[in-house]
Amino acid sequence: MRDKVCQEFTILGKDNFRSLAILVNSKKYSNGTFEEISHLVNKIVSLAEKCCAEGVDPDCYETESLAMSAKSCAENSPFPDHPGTEACCTQQGLERKLCLAALYHPPKDVPTYTEPPTDELCEKFKENPKDFAERFLYEYGSSYGQAPLPLLAASARSYLSMVGTCCLLTNSVSCFLESRLERKSLSLLPTIANRVCSHYAAYGKEKSKISSLTTFAQKIPSSPLEDILSLAEDFSEVLSKCCNSMAEECMQNELSNHTAKICCRLSDKDDRVAECCKGKNPMENYFCIYSLQRGQSPELPQFQRPTGEQLCGEDGPYSFPRGDGVIRMAIREGALPQLRNEMLTFLNKTNDLCETYARSKVHEFKKRIREKYRKKMPDATEEFLTGLVEQRDSFASTCCMMNAPPTYCSLKVESCLPLKVLINGMIAVSIT
């Protein structure tokens, strides 16, 4: 670790090393305050400055890093707080350091960074350029925690260069307009990468493939299974290759190739895809395809439901692949019809809710939902109805979107699932 830190410090120089440390630790501790991240970064830079110099005591890094972990465990520590800190602090020496280093906050499902208006932005920059840059790196890193670090760093450098140039010009507005057009792809890429890598982090490779297959089927339901299965497999490969890659160009190159494959296979299946593929910039084309909403479902033949024997078979077609084995269902005799009914009821209710949301204007949705529940529950109080409407609106506005945040919406869905089916022991899942 000492060699890695000292190599980065020597190659980057103190200022760039500090900037990278802010970005890295803002990604890692997404719930930390700017002051907490600053305290941590100050200590990291100080350690590197002191212990990476020529002729320094070989034990310097070990001594200083142990002192830093002790400071993390002290009461009223200035570093980012974490629920796991207390357990780590019961250990000593290297074990404590490794335990503390492994702690991180869950990445934010929805980025919170919003760019201020140009006038306000330039005013803050001129007041204190260094503070402006560091606060931006903190906000950017904590908001896009799942985007690959090299990609995030390149985008941040480009943005700060634009601000530093345009804010010093008399006609800053036209400078910003021109610069934003030039860096449109670079600014889109962290947003895209953060979203797709969030799904990969939440689902893993195999489930990401299934999720991608489902998304393609919903967006372009007229597509042949062979085409969207191939594209789903290709997309999961892109994510496994690039989400944790330290190669700056990985995501851009691989997504560009993936976009070309989508355009080749699906342009003649859907006019919206064909329109997206007319652009000359692959990243803009991908973002256009990514942003497409559900297509019109075609009339399909009646689905032949599998029997209980087919579902339960160890090597049957309904075993679900998993990275470390296979998920197999074990279902009590006679429970399948009830389970199916419970799940279909839940899916139909969710589908109706999302369809209502898609068809409604902002204020109409709450009104329609309130009227629906008032008819169902005529004795309910206004306070109860308001709470129910707000709950459904919160779910629909976030989770009915095609590219909904996975972790947040998984928790929301789980809280609504017909859990009595699971609790009654009618279905059990064994992972082998």
Side-chain angles (χ1 to χ4, degrees):
M1 191 61 192
R2 175 194 176 280
D3 292 344
K4 179 179 181 294
V5 169
C6 289
Q7 184 182 33
E8 287 180 353
F9 186 76
T10 303
I11 292 172
L12 295 173
K14 181 179 176 180
D15 290 343
N16 288 334
F17 178 83
R18 180 180 177 83
S19 296
L20 187 64
I22 293 171
L23 204 55
V24 168
N25 287 284
S26 298
K27 274 168 61 71
K28 186 176 181 181
Y29 302 110
S30 58
N31 294 329
T33 66
F34 175 70
E35 289 71 25
E36 288 172 339
I37 298 296
S38 295
H39 277 297
L40 181 59
V41 169
N42 287 341
K43 190 63 181 173
I44 291 170
V45 173
S46 174
L47 183 151
E49 202 170 18
K50 183 176 180 179
C51 300
C52 296
E54 283 189 30
V56 75
D57 184 343
D59 293 331
C60 176
Y61 188 89
E62 178 69 13
T63 303
E64 292 296 318
S65 59
L66 281 172
M68 190 172 169
S69 64
K71 192 171 185 178
S72 298
C73 293
E75 193 175 351
N76 300 321
S77 168
F79 301 150
D81 188 31
H82 191 284
T85 302
E86 188 176 346
C88 289
C89 293
T90 61
Q91 303 179 46
Q92 298 295 324
L94 180 62
E95 287 74 20
R96 176 191 280 185
K97 282 201 302 181
L98 293 174
C99 183
L100 290 169
L103 299 178
Y104 65 92
H105 294 160
K108 293 177 181 176
D109 267 327
V110 181
T112 54
Y113 174 72
T114 52
E115 187 180 33
T118 301
D119 291 347
E120 184 184 330
L121 184 152
C122 285
E123 185 181 338
K124 288 181 179 179
F125 172 77
K126 289 174 183 177
E127 280 177 7
N128 190 331
K130 182 175 181 291
D131 183 71
F132 173 87
E134 293 194 350
R135 286 183 182 276
F136 167 75
L137 291 171
Y138 158 74
E139 294 280 359
Y140 205 50
S142 62
S143 285
Y144 295 95
Q146 294 289 13
L149 178 62
L151 174 61
L152 208 59
S155 179
R157 281 196 305 271
S158 169
Y159 178 82
L160 290 172
S161 174
M162 174 185 72
V163 172
T165 300
C166 294
C167 284
L168 298 179
L169 296 177
T170 308
N171 194 358
S172 60
V173 174
S174 60
C175 175
F176 272 111
L177 285 173
E178 186 178 333
S179 298
R180 282 177 176 131
L181 282 173
E182 288 175 0
R183 66 182 301 276
K184 189 173 181 181
S185 291
L186 192 57
S187 63
L188 271 178
L189 203 49
T191 303
I192 295 170
N194 189 65
R195 290 184 184 179
V196 297
C197 290
S198 292
H199 278 78
Y200 184 74
Y203 298 145
K205 187 174 180 180
E206 287 300 329
K207 284 186 181 178
S208 289
K209 182 171 72 175
I210 295 169
S211 174
S212 181
L213 176 66
T214 305
T215 301
F216 276 122
Q218 289 181 321
K219 287 185 178 183
I220 308 109
S222 56
S223 300
L225 174 61
E226 294 75 15
D227 285 340
I228 59 174
L229 181 57
S230 172
L231 290 171
E233 289 173 341
D234 183 69
F235 186 58
S236 68
E237 288 297 329
V238 171
L239 300 185
S240 67
K241 183 176 181 180
C242 296
C243 282
N244 296 311
S245 173
M246 293 306 290
E248 187 179 312
E249 302 295 324
C250 183
M251 188 63 76
Q252 183 162 353
N253 292 340
E254 293 298 324
L255 270 185
S256 295
N257 293 335
H258 179 65
T259 304
K261 292 173 185 176
I262 296 175
C263 292
C264 178
R265 285 180 176 267
L266 302 182
S267 284
D268 61 342
K269 308 297 190 304
D270 191 294
D271 291 341
R272 298 172 304 155
V273 176
E275 192 63 32
C276 286
C277 293
K278 286 180 180 178
K280 294 181 180 179
N281 187 307
M283 285 300 95
E284 291 179 30
N285 295 355
Y286 178 78
F287 195 69
C288 177
I289 295 166
Y290 180 83
S291 302
L292 292 177
Q293 294 304 306
R294 293 172 180 80
Q296 187 66 38
S297 298
E299 290 294 326
L300 296 173
Q302 182 66 33
F303 174 61
Q304 296 298 312
R305 300 190 181 279
T307 63
E309 187 178 329
Q310 287 175 314
L311 277 173
C312 298
E314 213 168 286
D315 301 313
Y318 296 97
S319 295
F320 296 96
R322 180 182 159 94
D324 55 354
V326 170
I327 298 176
R328 289 198 296 271
M329 312 299 270
I331 302 173
R332 280 191 186 173
E333 189 68 30
L336 186 60
Q338 187 176 346
L339 170 65
R340 181 184 297 145
N341 289 338
E342 292 278 1
M343 293 305 297
L344 284 176
T345 300
F346 173 74
L347 289 172
N348 286 332
K349 285 181 178 178
T350 309
N351 193 56
D352 288 345
L353 182 74
C354 289
E355 276 191 354
T356 303
Y357 184 80
R359 291 196 308 265
S360 306
K361 293 180 181 177
V362 178
H363 300 298
E364 286 180 354
F365 176 72
K366 287 187 177 182
K367 186 178 176 182
R368 288 182 180 182
I369 292 295
R370 181 180 287 274
E371 288 172 356
K372 176 182 175 182
Y373 284 124
R374 186 178 282 118
K375 288 177 182 176
K376 280 188 173 183
M377 298 174 282
D379 298 329
T381 64
E382 284 300 311
E383 184 181 1
F384 177 80
L385 287 175
T386 298
L388 200 57
V389 168
E390 290 298 329
Q391 184 189 55
R392 295 295 185 265
D393 181 63
S394 173
F395 176 86
S397 61
T398 307
C399 301
C400 286
M401 303 295 103
M402 283 300 301
N403 306 304
T407 306
Y408 174 83
C409 291
S410 292
L411 292 172
K412 286 283 187 183
V413 168
E414 284 172 15
S415 69
C416 300
L417 276 170
L419 291 177
K420 61 184 178 183
V421 176
L422 304 178
I423 291 167
N424 290 339
M426 288 188 290
I427 177 171
V429 179
S430 62
I431 301 174
T432 60

